[in-house]
Amino acid sequence: MADISLDTQMGNFKFTNPILNAAGVRDADSTQLNTIINSWAGGVVTKSATMKPREGNPEPRMKGLPHGCINSMGLPNHGIDYYLDYAIKNEGKNNKQVILSIAGLSIDENIQLLKKIQDSDYQGLVEMNLSCPNIDGETQIAYDFDSVEAILNQAFEFFTKPLGIKLPPYLDFYQFDSIAKVLNKYPITYVNAINTIGNGLVVNPETEQTLIKPKGGFGGISGEYIKPTALANVRALRLRLNPEIKIIGTGGIHTGEDVFEHILCGADAVQIGTYFGFDDTPVFEKVTKELLAIMARKGYTSLDDFRGKLKVLD
Ligand code: DHB
């Protein structure tokens, strides 16, 4: 399979494997991040940072489910200074790009985070998460298209570094049209679709309780449950976004076939969250080898051979 290339590119950033970790899973400190850099993952994404360190929500705040997970972590993280320092020191190490994830709790905090990054020596990719569902009293910014426009307007007045946007799942064509119209006005490097399906509720019928404590038991749903929604978002956005805006597909990936489907729908790279949580770094090797086997069987030698080439029934 030596003649098969998994090379992919977003902006000026080259990856030799499109399979990355998703923000928020096993990526909260330098030990965990180094483990990712030293694995088969094609790059390393840091836990979404806020301006100040946060403890996050009360526990239990995450529970595994038969086919995925529910979580309401509440952004426990070491703060932007920690991750920015890590990103600057480790950019390009082991031939892997760092993606620095940020998640301000407000429009203002996101702008402050971007200003800090702009004023730093970091030259790598930044992923601005506009879709965290787990902060009590806060809405997911990217469900309000005017807020997305406001934030990007302010951001691109000063921000000159490569910026990706992490989006929530959209469920209606009006939403696909509206978000694409806003995003297409800006020099965004990529969008990441999708975050968890926010504010699901899983109950234990025996104890008659919720599974997790924060927000009355409501939390983000991930894993296999969300793959069809993730594929729909990748596909719908690929059909609407300017070709310069690349797409990271995230949601329900735990096999090479899942990656293949995401790329067929238009993804340039993919991220694994829930199953990285379940299986740790071996998931990257397993899924990469499975993808290579599918490509070999089909006679494909590069991702371009099938990226976005999903066939619809006439
Ligand atoms: C958290 C969850 C998310 O889905 C996200 O995008 C950011 C943060 C969290 O609860 O920590």
Side-chain angles (χ1 to χ4, degrees):
M1 291 194 278
D3 52 343
I4 297 180
S5 162
L6 296 181
D7 288 357
T8 194
Q9 190 161 344
M10 296 191 290
N12 296 324
F13 295 83
K14 293 187 163 74
F15 297 77
T16 55
N17 183 348
I19 302 168
L20 318 174
N21 65 299
V25 180
R26 298 181 186 273
D27 62 348
D29 60 38
S30 59
T31 307
Q32 292 184 320
L33 293 164
N34 288 341
T35 303
I36 299 169
I37 288 186
N38 292 319
S39 78
W40 277 55
V44 57
V45 186
T46 60
K47 170 70 187 171
S48 299
T50 48
M51 284 298 282
K52 298 216 171 79
R54 286 173 56 87
E55 293 287 332
N57 289 336
E59 295 178 340
R61 57 193 185 182
M62 177 173 60
K63 274 282 187 304
L65 306 171
H67 302 284
C69 203
I70 181 168
N71 92 81
S72 182
M73 302 299 288
L75 276 167
N77 78 93
H78 292 295
I80 184 64
D81 290 340
Y82 181 93
Y83 299 105
L84 187 52
D85 179 63
Y86 182 89
I88 290 167
K89 290 184 177 142
N90 291 280
E91 215 193 324
K93 204 179 246 181
N94 204 10
N95 236 347
K96 310 256 168 102
Q97 306 297 343
V98 175
I99 297 182
L100 177 62
S101 173
I102 56 168
L105 300 187
S106 62
I107 294 181
D108 273 0
E109 186 175 353
N110 279 300
I111 296 299
Q112 282 179 56
L113 287 160
L114 290 176
K115 286 211 164 116
K116 206 172 220 310
I117 297 166
Q118 179 67 27
D119 293 343
S120 78
D121 290 334
Y122 182 60
Q123 302 299 336
L125 289 158
V126 178
E127 181 169 295
M128 181 162 62
N129 181 349
L130 299 183
S131 49
C132 174
N134 297 337
I135 306 298
D136 222 348
E138 300 288 343
T139 55
Q140 292 171 75
I141 295 172
Y143 281 134
D144 177 351
F145 305 114
D146 291 340
S147 292
V148 176
E149 185 149 14
I151 210 167
L152 294 178
N153 252 336
Q154 285 185 57
F156 284 112
E157 273 175 20
F158 65 89
F159 197 72
T160 56
K161 298 181 178 180
L163 185 64
I165 308 288
K166 178 100 175 244
L167 297 172
Y170 297 112
L171 305 177
D172 190 276
F173 280 73
Y174 164 76
Q175 295 177 311
F176 295 139
D177 291 341
S178 303
I179 192 68
K181 196 169 160 198
V182 173
L183 297 171
N184 277 335
K185 293 184 193 168
Y186 300 94
I188 292 163
T189 303
Y190 73 85
V191 298
N192 185 344
I194 56 176
N195 207 316
T196 55
I197 297 186
N199 298 311
L201 187 61
V202 182
V203 302
N204 180 336
E206 289 307 315
T207 62
E208 304 179 10
Q209 287 175 313
T210 60
L211 290 198
I212 58 171
K213 188 167 179 184
K215 289 185 70 178
F218 288 72
I221 306 296
S222 62
E224 287 176 72
Y225 305 109
I226 77 168
K227 192 177 78 170
T229 304
L231 293 177
N233 277 257
V234 170
R235 171 80 172 161
L237 291 168
R238 186 63 290 154
L239 293 174
R240 288 167 177 76
L241 292 175
N242 299 334
E244 299 76 41
I245 302 181
K246 302 301 177 193
I247 298 182
I248 297 182
T250 306
I253 294 175
H254 73 301
T255 67
E257 193 167 74
D258 298 323
V259 177
F260 186 82
E261 291 176 13
H262 267 271
I263 296 173
L264 206 53
C265 289
D268 296 281
V270 298
Q271 292 179 352
I272 304 180
T274 302
Y275 291 90
F276 174 38
F278 288 167
D279 300 337
D280 211 336
T281 48
V283 79
F284 298 116
E285 179 175 354
K286 177 192 102 81
V287 169
T288 303
K289 287 181 171 168
E290 288 171 354
L291 174 64
L292 286 167
I294 292 170
M295 291 174 66
R297 175 161 56 79
K298 288 173 176 273
Y300 293 148
T301 55
S302 78
L303 303 183
D304 288 341
D305 289 346
F306 60 99
R307 180 187 290 116
K309 294 188 178 167
L310 180 69
K311 299 173 191 129
V312 293
L313 305 182
D314 341 282

